[in-house]
């Protein structure tokens, strides 16, 4: 690339006025993100501490947190591996129909999640196209936590592919070739050369897939079976509380979700920064 | 003021006056009443024109009954609400959106139609399900709506509970029976339609507990003969309450129209339209006329056994209530 990008330390800034832009940033974030979330927290304040605790820590709700975070984590981990593979194939190989495959990756972004849920359920239910062959083998996917994981894998895959793809495109083939010339095995080349450079992107993709899965409702609701303690996700608990006009209880659970999700994302962001620093020092 | 702005203002004023001349009514209703109110609105508009000479326009808004009630409470400008559970209207009364004594404003607890809970089995009823007792047999799978997320599920639960109580059983026996019943439940639907899809399209379960009105629409949707409707020895009355949204009609000046709209539901014509959509009419003569559709079975009311739906909600469905106790770990 020959275009001279303004460097951070070069003193050239695209937008003038740090104070103005930062002020605008904070104002905009406040308007779009913080005020709605603050309203959520405030609404849960109508509960006493004890009521709050009962609402957010009953065994049913705890089971729902476990399921939501557990299934999201598994799905994000699966996407981490297979998203990398997909991105790799899309970047490094030419094959007929590549454009179509590339476009297909984005489909879960655009699709209404309910459509995903309904079609996955139709596919995996005991009488579905795939389910009818699995059921005799004793494998039940629809209406079990396994079905939830599948739905979350589906909606999460583009996040990993789309964050890793550009980094892979930028990574230089010559480095890998050099590693091979110096006698590295394929596995060594992968872990010592390739992985460090794409690790931050992979982690970002993982974090986004994970975050998206935690908040997912539409695609999961049809395939979950909604059995308390078994396959009930937290968003359904919130809807259930609203159906009982328990606004305060619903917001209490929502606040807990908000806090856990925020902490998780903060941790992942921290990990990513650490990873980037490490990679930067090694280079 | 420039001329273009003036023209725009004039146009706006014209549109506003046109809107006033034809009054508009918004009916916030529950999900599966969509087809019923579509038919009813056409008939009502024609009748209103004939009797008063005035044109009206009626908009419909449908969704889950409680979700609809919540949006009206939060400010949706509906003129009338037509729900499938009284608690939804009670909630609006608490918020001061509808009259406190809404259930006295129209005849029959302000519920022009009712429905009841029935069983639906697969064609030919292979498991020979006849009554509530058959639902707790080992190996029978029952599909039902989660009482936490749907009125349909609440009525199914209360109907099962009431069956034991009406036989002279104690609360403990009723709890035991209902607990056994839910042990046979493989999938809890989120709402009525969700449960129907699970039962019919996913082929899960041997029997579906649902509203009588849903049975007829299933026959219409999926074709006759796919399912058998089984009338148990006794079941529950589910009232479909209606109310004028005082907050909106005061603002829009549509009080009279809203009242006429709901009142006409009780007319012979209105009741006949309800029959077509498998809602039990309140008019005894019309109900009798259609005895082939609405098989006469002994029915009990929520008030009779549970005080009110609101009280049943507190005892049974709120967090930590009976349902949570019957349906928790250790299964």
């Amino acid at each position: 690339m020959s275009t001279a990008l303004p460097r951070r330390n070069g003193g050239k800034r695209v937008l003038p006025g740090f104070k103005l832009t930062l002020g605008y940033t904070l104002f905009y974030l406040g308007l779009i993100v913080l005020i709605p979330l603050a309203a959520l927290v405030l609404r849960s304040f109508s509960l006493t501490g004890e009521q709050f605790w009962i609402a957010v820590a009953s065994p049913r709700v705890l089971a729902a947190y476990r399921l939501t975070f557990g299934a999201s984590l598994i799905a994000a981990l699966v996407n981490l591996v297979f998203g990398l593979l997909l991105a790799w194939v899309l970047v490094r190989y030419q094959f007929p129909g590549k454009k179509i495959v590339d476009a297909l990756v984005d489909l879960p972004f655009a699709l209404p999640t309910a459509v995903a849920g309904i079609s996955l359920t139709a596919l995996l239910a005991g009488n579905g196209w795939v389910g009818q062959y699995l059921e005799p083998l004793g494998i039940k996917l629809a209406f079990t936590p396994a079905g939830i994981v599948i739905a979350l894998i589906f909606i999460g895959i583009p996040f990993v592919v789309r964050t890793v793809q550009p980094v892979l495109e930028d990574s230089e083939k010559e480095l890998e070739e050099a590693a091979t010339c110096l006698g590295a095995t394929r596995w060594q080349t992968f872990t010592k050369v390739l992985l460090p450079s794409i690790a931050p992107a992979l982690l970002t993709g993982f974090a986004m897939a994970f975050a998206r899965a935690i908040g997912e409702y539409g695609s999961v609701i049809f395939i979950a079976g909604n059995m308390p303690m078994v396959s009930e996700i937290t968003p359904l608990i919130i809807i259930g509380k609203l159906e009982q006009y328990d606004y305060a209880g619903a917001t209490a659970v929502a606040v807990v979700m908000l806090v856990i999700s925020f902490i998780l994302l903060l941790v992942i962001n921290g990990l990513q920064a650490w990873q980037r620093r490490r990679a930067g020092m090694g280079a | 003021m420039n001329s273009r702005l003036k023209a725009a203002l004039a146009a706006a004023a014209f549109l506003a006056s046109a809107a006033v001349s034809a009054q508009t009514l918004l009916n916030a209703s529950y999900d599966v009443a969509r087809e019923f109110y579509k038919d009813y609105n056409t008939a009502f508009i024609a009748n209103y024109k004939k009797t008063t000479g005035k044109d009206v326009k009626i908009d419909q808004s449908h969704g889950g009954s409680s979700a609809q009630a919540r949006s009206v409470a939060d400010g949706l400008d509906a003129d009338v609400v037509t729900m499938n559970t009284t608690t939804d209207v009670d909630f609006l009364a608490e918020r001061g959106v509808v009259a406190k004594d809404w259930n006295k404003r129209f005849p029959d607890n302000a519920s022009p139609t009712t429905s009841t809970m029935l069983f639906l089995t697969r064609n030919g009823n292979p498991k020979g399900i006849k009554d509530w007792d058959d639902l707790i047999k080992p190996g029978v799978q029952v599909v039902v709506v989660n009482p936490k997320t749907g009125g349909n599920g609440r009525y199914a639960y209360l109907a099962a509970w009431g069956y034991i109580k009406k036989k002279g059983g104690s609360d403990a026996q009723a709890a035991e029976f209902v607990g056994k019943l839910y042990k046979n439940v493989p999938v809890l639907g989120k709402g009525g339609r969700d449960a129907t899809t699970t039962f019919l399209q996913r082929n899960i379960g041997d029997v579906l507990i649902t509203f009588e009105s849903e049975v007829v629409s299933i026959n219409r949707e999926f074709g006759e003969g796919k399912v058998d409707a089984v009338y148990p020895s006794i079941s529950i009355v589910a009232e479909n309450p209606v109310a004028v949204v005082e907050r909106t009609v005061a603002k829009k000046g549509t009080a009279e129209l809203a009242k006429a709209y709901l009142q006409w539901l009780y007319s012979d014509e209105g009741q006949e339209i309800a029959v077509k959509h498998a809602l039990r009419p309140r008019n005894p003569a019309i109900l009798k006329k259609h005895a082939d559709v609405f098989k006469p079975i002994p029915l009990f009311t929520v008030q009779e056994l549970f005080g009110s739906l609101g009280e049943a909600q507190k005892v049974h469905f709120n967090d930590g209530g009976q349902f949570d106790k019957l349906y928790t770990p250790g299964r």
Side-chain angles (χ1 to χ4, degrees):
Chain A
M1 285 239 212
S2 58
T3 26
L5 291 169
R7 299 197 59 120
R8 198 186 275 180
N9 300 333
K12 279 189 214 162
R13 295 196 182 91
V14 180
L15 290 175
F18 169 72
K19 276 183 191 157
L20 186 70
T21 44
L22 180 74
Y24 181 76
T25 303
L26 290 181
F27 172 73
Y28 192 76
L29 263 182
L31 202 66
I32 302 294
V33 180
L34 292 179
I35 291 179
L37 293 183
L40 182 74
V41 175
L42 281 178
R43 203 152 195 183
S44 70
F45 279 177
S46 60
L47 293 173
T48 65
E50 197 190 356
Q51 284 169 324
F52 186 90
W53 185 247
I54 290 171
V56 301
S58 75
R60 246 179 95 148
V61 181
L62 290 179
Y65 296 139
R66 272 198 297 278
L67 177 68
T68 300
F69 288 104
S72 299
L73 186 68
I74 296 171
L77 285 172
V78 171
N79 277 332
L80 187 70
V81 175
F82 291 96
L84 173 60
L85 206 68
L86 250 168
W88 178 262
V89 169
L90 285 174
V91 169
R92 287 294 160 93
Y93 301 102
Q94 291 300 327
F95 53 90
K98 183 175 163 179
K99 284 233 166 75
I100 295 174
V101 175
D102 204 37
L104 275 177
V105 169
D106 277 336
L107 212 53
F109 268 152
L111 209 62
T113 51
V115 176
I118 291 168
S119 34
L120 283 174
T121 314
L123 209 61
L124 299 176
N127 64 340
W129 289 350
V130 176
Q132 59 180 330
Y133 301 110
L134 295 177
E135 200 101 311
L137 305 174
I139 304 172
K140 277 197 70 171
L141 295 176
F143 311 115
T144 65
I148 298 178
V149 172
I150 292 174
L152 295 180
I153 291 173
F154 177 85
I155 53 117
I157 190 81
F159 291 93
V160 177
V161 178
R162 289 300 179 232
T163 45
V164 174
Q165 210 174 4
V167 182
L168 271 182
E169 266 162 10
D170 282 353
S171 86
E172 288 160 44
K173 259 201 193 136
E174 287 77 7
L175 282 178
E176 287 163 51
E177 283 163 10
T180 316
C181 287
L182 291 169
T185 61
R186 286 182 169 212
W187 179 247
Q188 279 173 327
T189 314
F190 176 71
T191 52
K192 300 264 155 75
V193 177
L194 200 63
L195 205 55
S197 69
I198 58 168
L202 258 180
L203 213 55
T204 307
F206 168 80
M208 291 206 291
F210 183 53
R212 170 71 196 272
I214 290 170
E216 186 54 29
Y217 179 72
S219 61
V220 174
I221 217 64
F222 297 98
I223 207 169
N226 310 324
M227 307 292 285
M229 309 298 293
V230 179
S231 58
E232 208 173 38
I233 54 167
T234 323
L236 186 74
I237 295 264
I238 295 173
I239 297 281
K241 285 188 185 293
L242 284 177
E243 293 286 321
Q244 305 160 44
Y245 299 115
D246 183 6
Y247 281 89
T251 43
V253 176
V255 165
V256 170
M257 287 297 287
L258 184 74
V259 170
I260 302 178
S261 306
F262 186 69
I263 292 173
L264 278 173
L265 289 179
L266 211 63
V267 168
I268 292 171
N269 273 353
L271 263 179
Q272 207 184 328
W274 171 74
Q275 181 68 37
R276 205 169 270 152
R277 263 201 314 280
R278 225 183 47 144
M281 271 197 280
Chain B
M1 204 186 275
N2 67 34
S3 63
R4 210 198 267 161
L5 190 61
K6 261 186 207 155
L9 278 177
F14 173 76
L15 283 175
S17 69
V20 168
S21 75
Q23 276 194 319
T24 315
L25 198 74
L26 175 60
N27 177 6
S29 187
Y30 57 102
D31 236 339
V32 296
R34 193 173 276 113
E35 290 83 18
F36 166 51
Y37 279 105
K38 217 171 116 194
D39 276 6
Y40 175 76
N41 289 346
T42 318
F44 173 78
I45 291 168
N47 178 271
Y48 199 71
K49 174 87 178 162
K50 207 168 68 196
T51 48
T52 64
K54 282 187 217 154
D55 282 314
V56 284
K57 196 173 159 292
I58 294 159
D59 292 328
Q60 292 171 264
S61 157
H62 293 271
S65 194
S66 307
Q68 289 293 83
R70 282 198 306 277
S71 35
V72 172
D74 291 343
L76 175 71
D77 271 337
D79 300 89
V80 295
V81 286
T82 53
M83 298 298 187
N84 66 5
T85 31
T86 43
T87 30
D88 296 329
V89 190
D90 282 335
F91 166 72
L92 291 173
E94 262 168 49
R95 295 281 171 118
V97 177
V98 306
K100 282 268 178 283
D101 61 341
W102 63 271
N103 58 359
K104 308 256 166 6
R105 297 284 173 102
F106 295 96
D108 303 316
N109 286 335
S111 304
T113 59
T114 64
S115 195
T116 185
M117 303 310 286
L118 298 184
F119 308 157
L120 242 90
T121 66
R122 307 216 172 269
N123 191 14
N125 195 354
K127 299 251 168 145
I129 288 154
K130 300 245 150 35
D131 205 352
W132 292 99
D133 291 315
D134 298 317
L135 301 185
I136 63 164
K137 285 185 183 156
V140 172
Q141 290 199 317
V142 185
V143 175
V144 66
V145 174
N146 185 345
K148 294 242 173 193
T149 57
N152 185 320
R154 270 164 236 163
Y155 277 116
Y157 172 104
L158 294 176
W161 190 282
Y163 163 72
I164 297 295
K165 293 286 284 183
K166 288 300 261 187
K167 273 203 328 192
S170 66
D171 277 334
Q173 283 167 322
E176 196 198 335
F177 180 83
V178 173
K180 273 190 196 155
L181 200 163
Y182 279 89
K183 279 209 168 62
N184 279 349
V185 173
V187 173
L188 276 179
K190 189 178 91 61
R193 279 289 147 93
D194 187 22
T196 302
T197 317
T198 303
F199 183 70
L200 278 168
Q201 282 184 335
R202 313 271 171 264
N203 253 329
I204 301 247
D206 303 304
V207 53
L208 168 73
I209 311 181
T210 192
F211 283 123
E212 183 178 41
S213 50
E214 185 73 355
V215 174
V216 173
S217 56
I218 285 170
N219 279 338
R220 210 171 282 154
E221 285 291 315
F222 293 85
E224 296 270 347
K226 279 199 105 176
V227 291
D228 289 2
V230 175
Y231 285 73
S233 61
I234 188 164
S235 193
I236 197 164
V237 179
E239 292 182 321
N240 305 139
V242 299
V244 172
V245 180
E246 306 292 341
R247 185 193 63 200
T248 314
V249 296
K251 197 163 66 184
K252 281 171 61 182
T254 45
E256 234 162 274
L257 174 62
K259 204 169 165 217
Y261 179 77
L262 295 182
Q263 192 65 52
W264 203 64
L265 283 166
Y266 293 88
S267 71
D268 288 357
E269 214 175 324
Q271 297 270 291
E272 286 286 355
I273 296 171
V275 169
K276 267 193 231 149
H277 293 272
L279 296 162
R280 288 192 175 223
R282 282 293 194 176
N283 184 322
I286 295 177
L287 181 62
K288 215 166 167 194
K289 199 173 116 196
H290 296 282
D292 54 325
V293 187
F294 306 108
K295 294 209 178 106
I297 56 167
L299 296 171
F300 58 86
T301 63
V302 173
Q303 288 78 3
E304 209 179 304
L305 291 178
F306 304 96
S308 71
L309 259 187
E311 276 166 54
Q313 174 75 42
K314 263 185 229 135
V315 175
H316 293 276
F317 307 125
N318 276 355
D319 289 340
Q322 267 300 347
F323 177 70
D324 281 355
K325 283 186 200 136
L326 293 173
Y327 202 72
T328 27
R331 295 161 31 88

